[in-house]
Amino acid sequence: MRIMVIAAAVLALTAASAQAQMGGGRHQPGNDAPKADNKPKVDEKAYKAALERIPEPKEKYDPWGGARPSDPAKKSK
């Protein structure tokens, strides 16, 4: 009897987790239609003008500059 109860509990837990992964079968009616595109339109002219206003850096950025010395050590032969 005890084995049957344990087996039933294991089966119920397995079925519950499988149902949770599949979405549970709860679907609200009317929500299957795709949503309207409410994103603002990108103005290409304004985008390119904004990119041109970004100043060019005077020195090249080195993200690993703090992890290694800036001048490599020269080896003598």
Side-chain angles (χ1 to χ4, degrees):
M1 180 70 184
R2 181 179 280 177
I3 294 173
M4 295 292 282
V5 171
I6 293 172
V10 169
L11 183 63
L13 289 174
T14 305
S17 65
Q19 183 182 10
Q21 290 177 3
M22 296 301 294
R26 290 187 179 198
H27 296 287
Q28 296 178 356
N31 286 343
D32 294 335
K35 294 182 179 181
D37 189 20
N38 293 334
K39 294 181 183 177
K41 302 296 180 190
V42 178
D43 186 12
E44 291 294 324
K45 261 186 170 177
Y47 174 74
K48 288 181 181 180
L51 285 179
E52 290 174 359
R53 285 183 285 181
I54 297 174
E56 290 293 324
K58 295 177 182 170
E59 294 181 12
K60 186 176 178 183
Y61 177 70
D62 185 15
W64 287 92
R68 61 174 181 249
S70 58
D71 295 291
K74 295 183 179 181
K75 296 181 181 178
S76 61
K77 290 185 177 182

